[in-house]
Amino acid sequence: MKPEVKVRSTDQDERLNSILNVITDVDCRDYFSSHLGEPQHVQKAIVANFQKSVFQRLQDSIPSLSWMMEYTPSKSQKDSIDIYGESEAFVVAIELDKNRADQVAKKFVSRIALLPDKKVYFLSLCYPGTAGMNLNECVKYFGYCANLAKRMSGVYAGLVIGKI
């Protein structure tokens, strides 16, 4: 089980392709094959371990960016970006969330509003939340985020993990 790209704002961006190649190569079975039904604190620990793994792979594979976890772009806001990469010309924001459309939309809007005035590569990486969560609705919002990112001269990709 590996992350699968469901929506992307462009196929022609090499930076996006390199980031997606790293993320879609992560084997997620050890993290998400049996997390459903676990208590919330156990699920949180599983996601934190997965986040560390993705972060380390990105740091090792794309060392030209300065990578951080739980980056807080604003002193006045407590919102943090799960995985953040920065260069002189652009930033990368990767948010890990349950596959909920409202979470995808909320994180995209709030993080984009706080990021610096540079080109933004924004990735929503969604994992199974509950059996009742609507994957189709989540993917629909990936499409909305991709359209907005293009209008703002940014880049977007929405990925899901697992058979949902």
Side-chain angles (χ1 to χ4, degrees):
M1 166 190 335
K2 294 184 178 186
E4 179 184 345
V5 178
K6 291 292 187 180
V7 171
R8 56 190 298 159
S9 60
T10 179
D11 291 329
Q12 307 302 317
D13 191 291
E14 286 308 312
R15 287 185 193 115
L16 178 62
N17 292 341
S18 66
I19 295 165
L20 290 175
N21 286 340
V22 173
I23 294 172
T24 58
D25 194 45
V26 177
D27 187 349
C28 302
R29 278 179 293 200
D30 291 342
Y31 303 101
F32 298 109
S33 59
S34 62
H35 78 290
L36 294 177
E38 293 290 340
Q40 198 62 31
H41 73 279
V42 172
Q43 288 188 31
K44 188 174 181 177
I46 290 168
V47 173
N49 287 332
F50 176 70
Q51 178 184 357
K52 287 177 195 168
S53 176
V54 172
F55 168 78
Q56 190 62 55
R57 286 172 180 253
L58 288 164
Q59 199 171 35
D60 293 344
S61 301
I62 309 172
S64 58
L65 292 172
S66 174
W67 293 99
M68 295 168 254
M69 283 194 342
E70 299 302 331
Y71 173 73
T72 306
S74 170
K75 304 277 188 249
S76 62
Q77 303 290 331
K78 299 221 186 275
D79 295 329
S80 65
I81 296 168
D82 293 329
I83 300 173
Y84 179 80
E86 188 167 24
S87 76
E88 290 275 327
F90 64 92
V91 298
V92 176
I94 302 171
E95 287 292 349
L96 284 68
D97 287 298
K98 293 178 180 175
N99 58 345
R100 288 181 40 189
D102 61 329
Q103 285 292 342
V104 167
K106 177 182 168 184
K107 294 280 182 86
F108 179 79
V109 169
S110 64
R111 300 321 187 251
I112 291 290
L114 296 173
L115 288 170
D117 190 17
K118 295 181 179 180
K119 184 172 187 173
V120 175
Y121 288 78
F122 194 98
L123 287 80
S124 299
L125 178 53
C126 295
Y127 53 89
T130 67
M133 288 182 182
N134 187 336
L135 177 61
N136 291 331
E137 183 80 357
C138 187
V139 172
K140 179 170 95 174
Y141 273 79
F142 285 171
Y144 294 153
C145 293
N147 286 337
L148 289 170
K150 282 196 312 195
R151 290 179 186 184
M152 295 181 291
S153 301
V155 179
Y156 179 84
L159 302 92
V160 295
I161 298 168
K163 296 175 185 173
I164 306 163

